[in-house]
Structures are given as C-alpha cells and as structure tokens.
Amino acid sequence: MGLTKQYLRYAASAVFGVIGGQKANIAYVTLRGGERGRYVAVAACEHVFIWDVRKGEKVLILRGLKHEVTFLCPSPDGVHIAVGYEDGAVRVFSLLNGESNVSFNGHKSAVSAMTYDALGARLVTGSRDTDVIVWDIINESGLYRLRGHKDVVTQVLFVKDRNLLVSSSKDSFVKWWDLDTQHCFKTMVGHRSEVWGLVLLNQENRLLTGSADSELRAWDINYLHEERSVGEPKVKKGKTLLDDDDDEDNAEGGDDDLEERILSCEKAGSLLREARDRVVSLAADAKGRVIACHGNDSVLEIFTVLEEEEVQKRMMKKQKKAKKKAAKTQGDAGEEAPPQAERTLTDEILRLTNIRASAKIRWADVLLCASGELKVALLLQNNTIETYALKVSDRAPAPNKTARLTLGGHRTDVRTLAFSSDNLAVLSASGDTVKVWNRSTLQVIRTMACEYALCSLFVPGDRQVILGTKSGKLQIFELASGSLLETVDAHDGSLWSLCLAPDQRGIVTGSADKKVKFWDFELMKDEGSAQKRLTVKHTRTLQLEEDVLCVKFSPDHRLLAVSLLDSTVKVFYTDTLKFFLSLYGHKLPVLCLDISHDSTLIATGSADRNVKIWGLDFGDCHRSMFAHDDSVMFLQFLPKTHLFFTAGKDKKIKQWDADKFEHIQTLEGHHREVWCFAISPSGDHMVSSSHDKSLRLWERTREPIILEEEREMEREAEFEESLAGGDVPVVPGETPGEAAPASKKTVETVKAAERIMEALELYKEENRKMEEYKYACMAAVNKLPLPKPNPILAAMGNVSPARYVLDVIKKVRSSELEVSLLVLPFQYAPPLLRLFNDYVKQGLEVELVCRCLFFLLKIHFGQISSNQMLLSVIDELRTNTVSKVQEIRDVMGFNSAALQFLQREIENKEEVMFFADATGQLAQKKKKRRKRERAVLTIA
C-alpha cells in the first residue's frame, strides 16, 4: 500500500466578538454571594457568557455543545442556571464552577420559556413544539408533559402556594393547569391575537398579559376554596323527583362549575402602552412590584404596582374630589346620594417612567434591590448590553445609565478579516468600526470608526491597515495611534476587493464601477508635523465591461485574475495588462477566488454553489465540485499547500484538496451564514465571521485525518439522528391524552437500553455456566475448578453478574431511565423482575429499584399479570418492597424528628428563632391582619 497524504485536523478554539446573542433572553445572576445586579447572563451562540457589568469583563463561560441557546432561567437560590437549547434540550449549570451535571431531553424543538418553582425543586419548560414539561430537578427526571396548546408556548409560571401552573401561547390562549391531576381546568379566551408574555402580581391574585396590540390586559384571580373557608359552604340540595325538569337548565352550567371549583378569572381592565406594536418581552421583579415591557422599538416602559394602603389613600382623595365636584354641580338642586369614586386599574398600576435605549431592545430584565433602587438590564438588537438604575420611590424617577458593553464586539456583521504577518493580530471590520484583536488573548487592542468596510489588509510592517468601503473609498489607519491617516476616493462604486502585490510595494483594487486600479505605497510628508506618513498613489487603471467582484495577483506577480459580474474570470498579464485567459463555466457570478502559492492552480467559488479548480497554464477546468448548499462566499488556499478552505451561506466551512479533488473536513459551529475568514500566514490559525455576530478561532491540531474514517463518522452521525427521530414506543392500552411522559427517545436512551440488554444477556450466560458447573460437579468424582468469569466482570473487580446488572442500571441518567426501560423488549422484563426481588431483599438501591419496578409494571401490566410464572415473583416483590420502603420511611422520619429536636434545643439555648420560621410566622400575622381589615371594610 502506498503512502497516503496526511491531513491535519482543524478544531474549534474559541468564540469571541459576540456580546449577547439575539435568540435568548438576558437574566440577572449572582456569583458566589456577590452583590445583586452586578452580573448578567446572556447567550453567545451555543455558550452562555456571564458578564460583570461594572468592569465590562466576561467572568464565566458556560460551554454548550452544538445547538444555539434559546432561553435562560436562574434558580431562586442563585446557585444554578437552567439553559434551554435549539434542539429542545435543557441543561442545568452550576454558577460556582460553570459545570453542568443535570440535563433533560424532552422537547422536539427549541425551548421558548422556562421557570423554576419557589423552592427551585421543579422546573417547567415550554417549547416551540407546543408542549409544556415539568421536570424534577432533585431526582433529575421528567415528571410529565402537558399537551393542549396549538402554537409556540411563550410563557409558563408556577403559582407559588398552590400546585397550579399557568401558560400562554401564540395560539391566543392562556391555560391553567392543575398539577395534582395534570390536566387543563381553565382556558382563557379573552385575547384576539398571540399572547407574548404574562406576569403574576398582588400575591398572585392578578394576572397581567401582553399580546399583539397596545393593551396590557389585567385579570383578577379568585381562588375559590379560599373564599369558602371565610364564608359558609354551599348547602347541597337533596334531589327529588320534582327536580328532573331543571336538569336541562343546569346542564349548560355544569362545565363552568368544574372550572370554578379551583379559581375564577375576571377581566379587571387594561393598561395602555405607548408603543403600538406587539409586546416583545414582559418582565416583572421577583415580588411583582415593578413591571417592564417593550415592543420592537428602543423604548422600555416601566410600571409600578402600588401597595394596598397607597391605593386606599388615592381612593380617599378621589372620593373627596368627586364629592366637591358633586357639591358644585348640584347647586340648588335637591339632595342626591353622595357620588362613589370607582376603583380602576390605573389607580393600582402607575406608569413610572420610560427608558430610551441607544438601539432597538431585544430582551429586558429587572431587579428591585432592598434599597428601593431598580436595576434594569437591556439586551439590544445590535450586539450591546446596557444597564440602567432608577429610584422607584421618586415621583418622576430619572433613569441613569450605569453601563454599556460594546467593546467586545461589532454592532453589525463583520464583512472582512485579515491576519498580520506575525500571526498575532487579527483585523475585523464591519459597517461602522474596525477592530484589531490579540489572537492569543482575544482582547480588543484597537477600535476605530470607519465607513462600511468590504475588504481589508495589513500594510507590510503591520503598522497600518487599509480598508476598502462600500462607497468606493480607501481608508488608511495607523494602529499605534488608532487614527485615520487618509481617505482616498478610489472608485465610484463599491470597492469589493483588495489585493497586496507580491513585491509588497503596492495594492490592486477592484470595484463595481467596472475598473481595476493599481496603487503604489508612498511616504508623504505631513503638513502639520515633520514626520512622514503612508499614502497610496494611483498608477494604472484597467477598464472592463462588467462590475469587478474579486481581484487576485498570482504569487509570481506574472498574472492578475479578475472575476466579473458576467460569471467569468478574466486573467491578464500584470506588466502589460494584456488579456491572457477567460475562465468560463460558472452559471452565477464568481464571488471569491484564490491562486495557489506556486501560481499553477486557481480555485473559484461562485453563487451557483460550485467550486471549480482551473490550471493557470491553459485555463483548463481540472474539476468542478458541488461545495455548499448555498452561495460560496469566501475561498482561500492554505500557505505553501494545494489545500484550500471555502465558506458558504449554509453555515459551514469546508476544507478541500485541489490535487486529489477531495473534501477533507467540515468545520461546523456557526449558526448563520459565514461571510468570510482569514488564514494566518503560518497556516496554524483561522478566524471566521458570520451573520450570528460571532467570530470563531480555529486551530490546526496535530491529529491526522483519515478520510475513510471521516466519511464513516459522518454516516454514523446521520444514522444516529434518524434513529433518534424514530417513533416513540407505544405503551399498550394508553391513548394520547393531555398528560404524557416527559422524556423522549434519543440516541442516548437507545444506547442505555442496549447496555441493559447486554448486561442481562451476560447475567443469563453466567447463570447458565454455573448451572452446567453444578451438574458437572455432581457427575464428577474429584472437585472441578470454577468456570472462568466473563472478562467484563473481572475488569469490574470480580463483581457478581447480578451486581453488574444493577451497576449498569445505576449508570443510566436519571432523566433517561424511563425511556430506556420503555425501549426494552418484554422478554427482558421477567429476569429483571427476579433480579429486582433479590436487590430489594438485600436492601440494594431500594429507591432506584422501586422506580424501575413500578414503571415496568405500568407498561407491561397485561403481560405480567397474565403470566403464571411471574405470580410468585410479584407476590414476593409486594411483601419485600412494602417492608423495605417502610424501613426507609422510618429511618427518614427518625432523622427528621432528631433534626427538629436539635433545632428546638439550639433555639432554647440561644433564645433565637431560625430565620425561615420567623419569616413564616410574620407572613401568618400579616394574613390575619389583612383578614381583620377586610372584615372591618365590609362592615363599614
């Protein structure tokens, strides 16, 4: 076998240039007991960045895998943050070390809403697949899936003291769910269009919803079982024969009765927003004292919810005014009843102020501090974070901008990149700024304002950079001072392409004005100072009949390649500008081209999605390759090789071999169209830019690529995706209802099921060996040696086969356990049940075993109950599990009582009350006082 050509793998190194991604919300977090309102979490493509707003620094990166982040939700204790992804996965990260130990897979598409309950023990997620799923954080498993919405779920909230859930969706409905029975008991249909957000106020007795118009609708919620305890219970009528006639009348109200048992909702009015478009996000602080909402513009509207005492004061004033007015109007007229001032929603919720941001707002989060200061964090649509502070207690509070994070990224897409000759500096330029980054630290060294940049390069010596702009100008910047040296009016149309001459003495520019111009570098004396500065001098012009899209010198300085709007590439001699070759074959314009280091090959990438490789001797097309699923935007050869990279609008970057015409590897990572990239002169690094606002650094590793293995891995990944997308196994006798199991079938669950099956097969095999050994011992005269155990068991430390099966089950992720057992064929259930019986007898992992046992009994109930062989096993299991579970309960009860006893002892000794109890008692006192006040009001 001959020697194969060795290719080295490029691997993703870092993501930078993105401050806050548009897909997910912004959220205040606390780090290691730090001050509240100092840190914010935002999505950055597949990662989550935690920014210190005061210092403007990135303090923590929560690393994702592949899919974009779509929602963030910090836990109530501030220690964890739940992150929802584009593929429907949810991962819970620790904010102490940035690691994720818990992950859930249940949704089929992007997570669109998430909330923790008050204790942080449950998490509810809503998704684009219209399902709502409740997860148990402590047990790391899914509890149930709630189906009922017909469109994207936009918000989900737990009702604190009751086991209820409220969800809103783009299907214009707000649904109330009873989590005890897992069903929807009320659907609110008072909206004409999508419901984009909702918040609970006034101790969860009021619901505020935002939809596609300028109204925020408010609903009063009455929890009915509460009121009955205050008043008297309804008297049940005994039914007589005479009541039959009334049945028809009552039949219609029967359905309402079912809803009204838990709560009733009445519209309490609406608040008018200043904005006319839809609510983009609606946020409230943890206590429900402040509400913030915004539309598709740059104004955030802030409302405050008044306390009951303040509302009463306002009502008294209103009443007095009404009396005075009535007294005036009556005049001589006879006595009339005193007028009543009506209480409206605007008496309870006041407009506080508006915050005008520097650009359109994408998401907002608010945080009310104990001092009465409101902190507001805004994620803007132009890759910026702004924070504001204001005093809520002031009559007309003026918002004060406290921070603006803009340095670490561009406001618009980066359209051009360049590497310095020492591989250390990277230049990126966008529609308004040009930045120079340090490649190793990824910090911004210089930021300079520029016009809309389309192409760029470092001048030899790396002290100046030149940009070509959309208006046809050349801009020369000095890096040391960060100043613009000169702006040259080079062309009348967009300056699409710049190329440095191989002798490094000048540049060539190509533009939409159908001209190619040649420029020489010159040092010119500055009028103001005695020093010389760099400028460019126009030497020659090549006039063409079509717009120029790309120009490139051959490294030997002999030829100049120019791509035109008529889909051809023309090659000219550099010295005489005489026409040499026309490369004709692309169906759409060639957007990018490059010439190899030895000036023998030219590769062209076109909007027709193909890459063609041509010889520069005769202009013959060596090979045409279908490269991307959309336009090829950029192409560049690796230095000193015939390998080249292409970037496409299909979000991918691909590496190719121009000699063997083979696809070597695909670099996946960007989530939007890739505009351009730059390869360092050493070929060890590459930086790419995309429409997702991110810049990515790729590094050449020492790991070789074997092409056959690459293709095999691609096929395996495809197969695994199709496997996970298959139908979910059906539980016999179950029809799809409102509630369903939370988890979904994934590659991991299939693999886990296979591991359990393999372990059971091994267990059967070992049992068979031992049986044969016993028979052989009976027949033999001398004692026989024990059969050799399976190598796997030996590797695990000579565990017994039964113990090995338990270890395999223990290693299955808690969130994937049920689906893994659901995939198991029934033939594996009987041996598992017998094993479970042994485990329970020995007291091994009783909780886990019981969970598996109950699930197997639920899904295979018919087959197990009709199987005579299993009756004795089930009977034994019944007695053993009950006694073992009782034992565990007794131990827990004993421990709980002991802890309570210790608490009492400490309290008696120190004469202090534990904080949690003290707050609980305070809340009870307040409740009693409120009830008394209500009673007084009703009597009055």
Side-chain angles (χ1 to χ4, degrees), residues 26 28 283-286 290-293 300 302 364-368 374-378:
I26 186 170
Y28 274 113
D285 70 303
V290 176
I291 308 157
C293 76
L300 181 79
I302 298 178
D365 195 24
V366 290
L367 181 71
L368 191 59
L374 179 73
K375 292 185 175 178
V376 181
L378 302 179

Side-chain angles (χ1 to χ4, degrees), residues 435-618:
K435 287 179 186 281
V436 180
W437 308 76
N438 179 329
R439 194 213 74 228
S440 50
T441 62
L442 302 178
Q443 296 297 319
V444 178
I445 307 165
R446 285 277 177 274
T447 299
M448 299 160 283
C450 68
E451 290 189 26
Y452 197 120
L454 296 175
C455 48
S456 62
L457 53 82
F458 276 91
V459 174
D462 296 337
R463 291 184 182 179
Q464 297 91 2
V465 294
I466 296 184
L467 297 185
T469 70
K470 200 172 182 176
S471 57
K473 294 182 176 70
L474 280 175
Q475 291 192 308
I476 306 172
F477 292 90
E478 184 163 45
L479 293 185
S481 60
S483 60
L484 175 65
L485 291 180
E486 190 181 3
T487 301
V488 181
D489 288 325
H491 291 274
D492 300 331
S494 299
L495 205 157
W496 287 114
S497 185
L498 265 181
C499 181
L500 184 67
D503 60 4
Q504 302 201 332
R505 290 185 181 174
I507 55 171
V508 61
T509 58
S511 160
D513 65 0
K514 307 180 183 178
K515 290 186 179 116
V516 173
K517 291 188 179 180
F518 295 79
W519 309 80
D520 282 351
F521 294 132
E522 273 195 357
L523 286 172
M524 186 177 100
K525 256 205 173 159
D526 215 357
E527 287 98 39
S529 65
Q531 290 174 333
K532 290 185 172 182
R533 64 175 177 83
L534 182 85
T535 182
V536 288
K537 181 185 166 195
H538 177 220
T539 56
R540 296 186 290 170
T541 303
L542 172 63
Q543 179 70 46
L544 294 152
E545 57 276 359
E546 287 285 345
D547 291 16
V548 177
L549 298 179
C550 190
V551 289
K552 229 9 153 248
F553 277 116
S554 65
D556 61 6
H557 209 183
R558 194 170 70 94
L559 302 169
L560 174 75
V562 183
S563 88
L564 302 174
L565 200 60
D566 63 2
S567 310
T568 63
V569 174
K570 301 273 195 285
V571 184
F572 299 89
Y573 289 107
T574 309
D575 47 6
T576 61
L577 295 188
K578 279 189 177 165
F579 175 72
F580 171 47
L581 291 170
S582 177
L583 310 179
Y584 177 81
H586 282 291
K587 294 182 181 66
L588 289 169
V590 173
L591 303 178
C592 50
L593 59 88
D594 198 13
I595 299 173
S596 64
H597 69 102
D598 53 8
S599 306
T600 56
L601 296 176
I602 178 168
T604 56
S606 160
D608 64 9
R609 305 182 279 184
N610 289 306
V611 166
K612 291 185 192 288
I613 298 162
W614 318 75
L616 261 185
D617 302 332
F618 311 107

Side-chain angles (χ1 to χ4, degrees), residues 819-843:
V819 184
S820 302
L821 291 172
L822 191 56
V823 175
L824 278 185
F826 177 70
Q827 68 200 53
Y828 292 100
L832 260 181
L833 292 176
R834 293 189 183 94
L835 280 169
F836 288 165
N837 194 17
D838 297 343
Y839 300 150
V840 172
K841 270 187 201 162
Q842 297 165 41

Side-chain angles (χ1 to χ4, degrees), residues 431 506 638 736:
L638 269 173

Side-chain angles (χ1 to χ4, degrees), residues 333-379:
E335 280 294 308
E336 281 182 29
Q340 288 294 322
E342 237 179 70
R343 181 165 164 170
T344 61
L345 191 66
T346 45
D347 296 321
E348 298 171 41
I349 301 175
L350 297 182
R351 179 184 295 279
L352 198 60
T353 185
N354 286 354
I355 294 177
R356 188 170 289 279
S358 62
K360 286 183 178 178
I361 304 170
R362 187 67 194 86
W363 296 95
D365 195 24
V366 290
L367 181 71
L368 191 59
C369 301
S371 60
E373 185 184 39
L374 179 73
K375 292 185 175 178
V376 181
L378 302 179
L379 174 64

